[in-house]
Amino acid sequence: MINKIVDTLQDAVSTIEDGAIVLISGFGESGNPTELTHALIDHGARELTLVNNNAGNGHVGLAALLESGNVRKMVCSFPRSTDSGVFDNLYREGKIELEVVPQGTLAERIRAAGAGIGGFYTKTSIGTPLADGKERRTYNCEEYVLEEPLHADFALVKADLADRWGNLTYRLAARNFGPIMCSAARTTIVQARQIVPLGDIPPETVVTPGIYVDYIVEVTNPASEREMIENGVHYVSGAAE
Amino acid sequence: MINKIVDTLQDAVSTIEDGAIVLISGFGESGNPTELTHALIDHGARELTLVNNNAGNGHVGLAALLESGNVRKMVCSFPRSTDSGVFDNLYREGKIELEVVPQGTLAERIRAAGAGIGGFYTKTSIGTPLADGKERRTYNCEEYVLEEPLHADFALVKADLADRWGNLTYRLAARNFGPIMCSAARTTIVQARQIVPLGDIPPETVVTPGIYVDYIVEVTNPASEREMIENGVHYVSGAAE
Amino acid sequence: MTKKLTRRQVAWRIAQDIEEGNYVNLGIGQPELVANFIPADREIVFHSENGILGMGPEPGPNEVDYDLINAGKKPVTMLPGGSFFHHADSFGMIRGNHLDICVLGAFQVSEKGDLANWSTGGPDAVPAVGGAMDLAVGARLVFVMTDHNTKKGDAKIVRKCTYPLTGPGVVNTIYSDIAVIDVRPDGLVVREKVPGISFDELQARTEAQIGGRASCRELSAPEIE
Amino acid sequence: MTKKLTRRQVAWRIAQDIEEGNYVNLGIGQPELVANFIPADREIVFHSENGILGMGPEPGPNEVDYDLINAGKKPVTMLPGGSFFHHADSFGMIRGNHLDICVLGAFQVSEKGDLANWSTGGPDAVPAVGGAMDLAVGARLVFVMTDHNTKKGDAKIVRKCTYPLTGPGVVNTIYSDIAVIDVRPDGLVVREKVPGISFDELQARTEAQIGGRASCRELSAPEIE
């Protein structure tokens, strides 16, 4: 019997190795796999490359993972926020590498990796410093830049419902990067708010088919990063102080 | 008030002009917009280029449109079928141009047109005659071929539910080419089994967002091409004989 | 005396140029104000980069749900007819020219419609681009909402942008606090200017050459608190 | 006496090599038979190019719904846990190496694993490729199900394909009516052959050079009506 459900967050992230490229879902604070991210901090894999739209807030979730010192490189479209001091400091001190990618190009590169596309042309960034040094092509009298797929070793994704085959749905706008990240990673690890019996998700409303998912762990009441930040939480491996 | 609903099939197809490139949804007999296709025959636009996975069956729907003499070129992945005599004869008599595209490349070219991609690289067809004369690129030690987006003037698509904004759902596997074709055409024309009040389709289960749709006409009991073929129907403009 | 528009009045002015049935993306920050001033008889569908069509107004205090936020990460609501989709689909929608209008802020706009709005090129700044470059090339019409001059009085509408570009030749219309200026193939043309400023004064506050002296109309907006 | 396998027995043999939890696409025609012989204790997820995961068995006469067909355009059913998606997503799944196995028919397979299964290159034939080229490059393992020789007795397992290719170097294992042959970097290796045929006889019926003389085992299948 196919059963992708694992019992603990620790089990779910246990195969993430040093040097891995890890996609982390979420935008703002919708769709962040905070519990999986904290489990990755505890797991302690080092020299990671992370991919997310942003670069974390406060001292929880993605920001706490950055703060752990285990991240070598951040790939994102918008690292700045009102509360992105952890990343800002690492960057200014030269302790982390940054690759800034336009948001749509970031999404399309992830999608391309999942869909077996060996590169694509976009008009986005033509005429800007972000196109410097990249191959170009003229199509239909307009200039396009070549972008390559963004393959990853792991994806950490937050979903709403899941079943034992790994079929997923997402809540509201928390869908954001989840479906494409699930498809682009060699191993996809999902925290779902609720695991439901196989067949409970109607086949027309499955958003991520189970083929893209490897491990699922149920996190019934996922933390609000906003509330943690407001309460001054600093996540440190093994203990929230 | 936004209202994309039109009263008649005739109104829906009335802007299709001679020489248009027309995407037609469907695979086998699931998702074929048979009534819209017949309306296009009646409308009489000439010198059309059609895009569909196949090339029609019997003498109804797509096959009847081919038989009308109004089609200059067919773009598809698999024109042959047990009952594709109309196309076969046109092709053997040199009366129609054929562009054969691998099925996944066909789908991806349509998707690329809708998504503003100016070309993409696929491994599909490398080493085969279908890659002859096309640009290539090596990515990650493997060879890929460049494919261009497939833009269209019109799409004729069959959906299940629709609302006045043009949001769509599809029945079962009848989804096939519908969503990508809606996005790739300058004007998208939809026949829906049922038009529902705005808000009746939950926002998480909308498959085609209304932004991709221009006209909707309700066809409550769409014809079964299979039954028509079994009953020997030959669709001819203005009358089924 | 020059009667320049408030930001809310500029937002009002932009809203008048958004037509019934338009699909519109409002950039983060000031452009978000535009949503408040859409004429009541027009049905507009608002898009957000994070995968939403059909955003409604700000939620009431008991309706806030942080799984339902806009690109600016502020809570929003959904109108009947809205839909959710993933990020690749959302930016396919943007890049594929399906949005009628996007409204963006600007550091600089050039006389050719070049837009610079993501980086001042400072060596210490953390570079961050977000979806601006995609919106700039993707939307059918790009409206810029900006003060006409910087706080220091420098021109923001310039011959050539000195900041790194977001996109070349992408801007269609500039809505400033003192003028509405269209970017045309032959250069910038003032469509409207506020009363109390002469065309020469407007030119003096605009580094780029502007045309439309004879045809430009009055830019006015209702009092908005 | 050579006891060659029936098609259903070949399908059975292939089914034995499909593992618990595999995602599998069965090509149109003979390969579809494989679904009937999956061991009862293995849960397999079947994919169809037209946008289905989790296909179940043929429907009963009253369950037929022509909106639920497979790539061969035959009515199917859905298992609990199935899902629908559009064609671009379906072929993204194929090209993106997410399928574990696809089973395809063949006109010819070369000693390098080149596959020719879409065109005999005849000048009068209507060219038609469908999804074969995508499956050939996309699936992690490509199994070929084929008669060992043509009806005329010609070799189908050849040094070099004479028909136009579907994909170069894509085949992993050939399941014929008399042998199971793996395509390895150093050439073809017979894993199993039916009793009653000597290795030399098998080589004589195979244009390509075959190895595995010492290690090959017996190919057998239960009687299937």
Side-chain angles (χ1 to χ4, degrees), chain A residues 150-169:
Chain A
L150 181 46
H151 290 274
D153 299 304
F154 294 89
L156 305 184
V157 170
K158 182 182 182 183
D160 190 39
L161 305 182
D163 62 32
R164 67 176 172 84
W165 277 16
N167 294 305
L168 306 179
T169 67

Side-chain angles (χ1 to χ4, degrees), chain A residues 108 111 118 121 137 148 175, chain B residues 108 111 118 121 137 148:
Chain A
E108 190 69 9
R111 190 249 172 209
Y121 290 97
R137 174 168 193 268
E148 294 199 335
R175 182 178 309 195
Chain B
E108 191 68 9
R111 190 252 173 205
Y121 290 97
R137 174 167 194 267
E148 294 199 336

Side-chain angles (χ1 to χ4, degrees), chain B residues 41-100:
Chain B
I41 297 172
D42 297 348
H43 175 59
R46 300 180 59 81
E47 295 292 321
L48 302 173
T49 293
L50 301 186
V51 183
N52 181 269
N53 191 65
N54 306 103
N57 286 290
H59 300 270
V60 299
L62 176 53
L65 179 52
L66 292 169
E67 204 162 22
S68 74
N70 287 341
V71 182
R72 191 180 68 72
K73 180 177 176 184
M74 186 77 229
V75 181
C76 65
S77 88
F78 207 88
R80 275 202 309 265
S81 81
T82 48
D83 203 7
S84 57
V86 167
F87 176 82
D88 295 352
N89 290 336
L90 287 169
Y91 180 74
R92 293 215 173 87
E93 292 166 9
K95 289 183 176 162
I96 195 164
E97 196 182 331
L98 171 65
E99 181 180 348
V100 171

